[in-house]
Amino acid sequence: MARPDRGTTLIDVARAAGVSRQTVSNAINAPHLLRAETLAQVRSVIDRLGYQPNRSARSLRTRQSRLIGYCVPRPNPDRLGWVLDEFLHAVADAARGAGYHIVVFTPDSAQRELDSYATMLQTGGADGFLLTDITHRDRRPGWLRRRGVPFVSYGRLPASAGPAWVDVDGAAGVAAAVEHLVGLGHRRIAFLGWPEGHRVGDDRADGWRSAMAAHRLAATLRGYTDDTITAAAEEAGRMLDAARPPTAVIAVSDTVAVGALRAARARGLAPGRDLSVVGFDDTPSAALLTPPLTSVSQPLQEAARLLVEMLVARLAGRRPERRSVLLEPTLVVRGSTGPPPPGR
Amino acid sequence: MARPDRGTTLIDVARAAGVSRQTVSNAINAPHLLRAETLAQVRSVIDRLGYQPNRSARSLRTRQSRLIGYCVPRPNPDRLGWVLDEFLHAVADAARGAGYHIVVFTPDSAQRELDSYATMLQTGGADGFLLTDITHRDRRPGWLRRRGVPFVSYGRLPASAGPAWVDVDGAAGVAAAVEHLVGLGHRRIAFLGWPEGHRVGDDRADGWRSAMAAHRLAATLRGYTDDTITAAAEEAGRMLDAARPPTAVIAVSDTVAVGALRAARARGLAPGRDLSVVGFDDTPSAALLTPPLTSVSQPLQEAARLLVEMLVARLAGRRPERRSVLLEPTLVVRGSTGPPPPGR
């Protein structure tokens, strides 16, 4: 194996591989354009000759790092891990196909979340950003837009942010859960959600309200909780201790659903038999719970592919063909839902 | 808010902020060296003047991208998500402190896993690599070493690889599980592990064997399974159906432990009461299982900090102070372990 030889040029590689200079350039910058055999052959020559095209020299010419910045959400032990594994993998896969890589970073501190974005920009560490976990009054979209920095968001944005987002239709997901439960015979279907004013949560609650109305069922059993297992278990407990408790609970997230399962079990109720519970997100833990949790699943692969496609178009100075995409989620039915107990 | 002005120089920033040029340089390249107030002040001037130190120009000077490459393991639905969320976060935090960022990438294909490393190197996309999920006969350490590329591994390496690794003492973790179970009164303690020849698995099995020997207990109940829930449930079932089944099972991973819980439940045994089960890794799902899973927890924050410290030393051309570090894991006791059933 040859040690890298700083004197080897792209022309040397093209000659040795018997291909054009453009083909060598593509092998490095746009490998997806080449046939697998050609790519393998050029790569083996690059490797043999120890050719090192310098990303930095290229970046200086194009003013691009070909890096997409992604600020990784901080894990919380009282919350189910978000679907980071699968999402990150899907995003990295899609980026590779477009000749980009994902550079992950963490916030400097909760108080100064924008500082970490500023550092990435100031050092040329990323050409654009992928945002997730968009919160109510998120300062990032406006901040990036004012600076003319390309970004896309997994989670819808207000029109003022110059939207480039992909989101999952939360209302449709929860409506599908209502249909499933009504089909099983439930009528007292509660919604255990976050306090109002949180866009994602309000959207999911709306799906419950309108689907209940479509079946002429009263949407009165509404609980409010933070997105932690502990708080959700307390609020679910209050709902179950009421004079006329629900026979089914749709939770705004899998974390909240785990709280509902705990509250049921603490009262001697068997989830799936005495109380049906539906979650949202289909986190990796959902299938492992006892009973396995019925949950609304997000199409992560498709979301990742679209997000990268839209961001890459923006980075190339093009308008993305679609500026916002709402994807349909799927209800995954498991053992935590069943017919209501007899006589209820 | 000023638009970036390509004409603004580092000297302009130093003058406007009333600090030295070195301080401005540190604010960009080594922010951890500055006091928080100084850093905030310099950053606000950088932002106001729209100064953009170019990473590419800097890289060309230093021949460094200041990026650490990390090939993200592919998720598998029949396996518990590894502790990626927390590990990735810890690594990104540690890297930021040292002025580096983590660039994640995915393998081109299972057959050609080295190609993705070659691409990263050939395009100058990373200065060095962080390896995880080291497998038996892993080709990556030798391949990187032959090319003189700095890397560190979470998982021990053979001496021939020129070790720079951090690992968790799996034998000690499993031995702690045996102590816990013996303390509860168990004597028929099984080990459900991977086929032999897998270093991580063999290490954990050794911990069981030697701890059993220390208590003069027979280490005969040994099951073999792949690291999937389905296969583990089958093998655990065979052990439970034997003439003299174990009263406790130590699983080589949380995934295998979930299989053991399933097998127990399928036979009408209540885990934690009729059969004790211990996992390994303390994955985010462990605490959510029914009963919550007793599991061996890896010190991920500490491992991440050490890995980055060792890699950064190598990237700076220094020998790291420690070339290999074995960390002690902790047993987290939850409801899946209890005294053996009376008379067993």
Side-chain angles (χ1 to χ4, degrees):
Chain A
M1 181 59 223
R3 277 303 169 109
D5 172 0
R6 302 284 181 198
T8 306
T9 67
L10 184 140
I11 300 172
D12 299 332
V13 174
R15 227 172 255 153
V19 299
S20 71
R21 286 152 67 175
Q22 185 58 50
T23 302
V24 179
S25 172
N26 284 348
I28 296 156
N29 298 306
H32 57 293
L33 296 179
L34 301 187
R35 284 187 309 131
E37 309 88 87
T38 312
L39 183 58
Q41 194 221 338
V42 175
R43 277 180 170 164
S44 95
V45 173
I46 287 175
D47 208 30
R48 180 160 56 79
L49 300 184
Y51 173 57
Q52 291 205 314
N54 196 290
R55 170 185 284 269
S56 305
R58 197 154 40 95
S59 299
L60 208 54
R61 220 161 45 234
T62 62
R63 303 204 71 84
Q64 287 209 339
S65 66
R66 296 194 80 83
L67 292 171
I68 294 169
Y70 176 35
C71 190
V72 186
R74 196 168 286 279
N76 175 335
D78 196 21
R79 251 175 236 188
L80 264 65
W82 194 59
V83 278
L84 180 63
D85 283 50
E86 194 186 343
F87 183 69
L88 187 65
H89 222 285
V91 166
D93 260 351
R96 184 163 47 79
Y100 279 82
H101 280 105
I102 305 294
V103 57
V104 296
F105 60 105
T106 50
D108 284 4
S109 73
Q111 289 74 43
R112 302 187 336 201
E113 58 161 344
L114 292 176
D115 282 7
S116 45
Y117 285 84
T119 306
M120 290 298 280
L121 282 175
Q122 287 169 359
T123 58
D127 300 332
F129 294 95
L130 168 62
L131 310 184
T132 61
D133 296 72
I134 294 285
T135 58
H136 188 49
R137 292 191 196 150
D138 206 304
R139 290 161 64 211
R140 297 174 298 171
W143 191 91
L144 291 168
R145 195 177 55 85
R146 282 196 297 280
R147 281 157 183 78
V149 179
F151 69 95
V152 287
S153 158
Y154 189 33
R156 70 200 80 175
L157 298 172
S160 62
W165 54 258
V166 173
D167 203 355
V168 165
D169 189 340
V174 171
V178 172
E179 292 304 321
H180 165 63
L181 292 167
V182 168
L184 287 167
H186 291 271
R187 301 185 62 79
R188 298 187 56 75
I189 303 169
F191 185 78
L192 182 51
W194 302 316
E196 271 155 41
H198 184 297
R199 208 207 38 75
V200 175
D202 291 353
D203 179 38
R204 295 179 185 178
D206 284 346
W208 168 70
R209 241 175 250 111
S210 46
M212 292 293 276
H215 285 285
R216 301 181 187 280
L217 296 171
T220 46
L221 296 163
R222 169 74 161 97
Y224 296 90
T225 174
D226 288 340
D227 199 43
T228 66
I229 296 170
T230 317
E234 276 179 32
E235 178 71 1
R238 272 190 289 275
M239 297 177 97
L240 294 174
D241 293 341
R244 297 195 61 211
T247 61
V249 174
I250 299 175
V252 68
S253 71
D254 281 1
T255 299
V256 170
V258 168
L261 292 175
R262 287 218 178 144
R265 209 170 285 117
R267 282 154 184 79
L269 301 173
R273 198 191 60 194
D274 304 327
L275 178 76
S276 287
V277 177
V278 180
F280 201 112
D281 286 337
D282 196 23
T283 38
S285 301
L288 305 172
L289 299 172
T290 309
L293 183 66
T294 295
S295 186
V296 179
S297 171
Q298 308 192 22
L300 288 183
Q301 301 285 339
E302 178 69 358
R305 197 183 60 71
L306 286 165
L307 285 164
V308 170
E309 184 183 300
M310 286 159 78
L311 182 55
V312 166
R314 293 209 153 192
L315 290 171
R318 297 195 310 274
R319 258 172 188 285
E321 283 175 37
R322 282 171 291 191
R323 302 185 66 208
S324 58
V325 182
L326 201 55
L327 296 171
E328 195 80 2
T330 324
L331 184 72
V332 181
V333 175
R334 300 196 181 92
S336 69
T337 48
R344 292 286 296 280
Chain B
M1 181 60 224
R3 278 301 169 109
D5 173 359
R6 303 284 182 199
T8 305
T9 67
L10 185 138
I11 300 171
D12 299 333
V13 174
R15 226 171 255 155
V19 298
S20 71
R21 285 150 69 173
Q22 186 58 49
T23 301
V24 179
S25 172
N26 284 348
I28 296 156
N29 299 307
H32 56 292
L33 296 179
L34 301 188
R35 284 186 309 131
E37 308 90 85
T38 311
L39 183 57
Q41 195 220 338
V42 174
R43 276 179 169 164
S44 96
V45 173
I46 287 175
D47 209 31
R48 181 160 56 82
L49 300 184
Y51 173 58
Q52 291 204 313
N54 196 289
R55 170 185 284 268
S56 306
R58 196 154 39 97
S59 300
L60 208 56
R61 217 161 49 234
T62 61
R63 305 203 70 85
Q64 287 209 342
S65 66
R66 296 194 81 81
L67 293 171
I68 294 169
Y70 176 37
C71 191
V72 186
R74 196 169 285 281
N76 176 334
D78 196 20
R79 249 174 237 188
L80 263 65
W82 193 60
V83 276
L84 178 63
D85 282 50
E86 194 185 342
F87 183 69
L88 186 66
H89 222 284
V91 166
D93 261 350
R96 184 164 48 78
Y100 280 82
H101 280 106
I102 305 294
V103 58
V104 297
F105 60 105
T106 50
D108 283 5
S109 74
Q111 290 73 43
R112 306 189 332 204
E113 59 161 343
L114 293 177
D115 283 7
S116 46
Y117 286 85
T119 305
M120 290 298 280
L121 283 175
Q122 287 169 2
T123 58
D127 299 333
F129 293 96
L130 168 62
L131 308 185
T132 61
D133 296 70
I134 294 284
T135 58
H136 188 48
R137 295 197 192 142
D138 206 303
R139 292 161 64 212
R140 296 174 298 171
W143 190 91
L144 290 168
R145 196 177 53 86
R146 284 197 296 282
R147 282 159 183 77
V149 178
F151 68 96
V152 288
S153 159
Y154 189 34
R156 69 200 82 175
L157 297 173
S160 63
W165 55 257
V166 173
D167 203 355
V168 165
D169 190 340
V174 171
V178 171
E179 291 304 321
H180 165 63
L181 292 166
V182 168
L184 288 167
H186 291 271
R187 303 185 61 79
R188 299 187 54 76
I189 302 168
F191 185 78
L192 183 50
W194 301 318
E196 271 156 38
H198 184 297
R199 205 205 42 71
V200 175
D202 292 353
D203 179 39
R204 295 179 185 178
D206 284 347
W208 169 69
R209 242 176 250 110
S210 47
M212 292 293 277
H215 286 284
R216 302 180 186 282
L217 295 172
T220 45
L221 296 163
R222 169 76 159 98
Y224 296 90
T225 175
D226 288 339
D227 198 43
T228 66
I229 296 169
T230 318
E234 277 179 32
E235 178 70 3
R238 275 190 288 276
M239 298 178 96
L240 294 174
D241 293 340
R244 295 196 61 212
T247 61
V249 173
I250 299 175
V252 68
S253 71
D254 282 1
T255 299
V256 170
V258 168
L261 293 175
R262 285 215 181 148
R265 209 170 285 117
R267 281 153 184 81
L269 301 173
R273 198 191 61 195
D274 304 326
L275 178 75
S276 286
V277 177
V278 180
F280 200 113
D281 285 337
D282 196 23
T283 38
S285 301
L288 304 172
L289 299 173
T290 310
L293 185 66
T294 295
S295 187
V296 179
S297 172
Q298 308 192 21
L300 288 182
Q301 301 284 341
E302 178 69 357
R305 197 184 60 72
L306 286 165
L307 284 164
V308 170
E309 185 182 298
M310 287 159 78
L311 182 55
V312 167
R314 294 210 153 191
L315 289 171
R318 297 195 311 271
R319 259 172 188 286
E321 284 175 37
R322 283 171 290 192
R323 300 184 68 207
S324 58
V325 181
L326 202 54
L327 296 171
E328 195 80 4
T330 325
L331 184 72
V332 181
V333 175
R334 301 196 181 95
S336 70
T337 48
R344 293 283 295 284

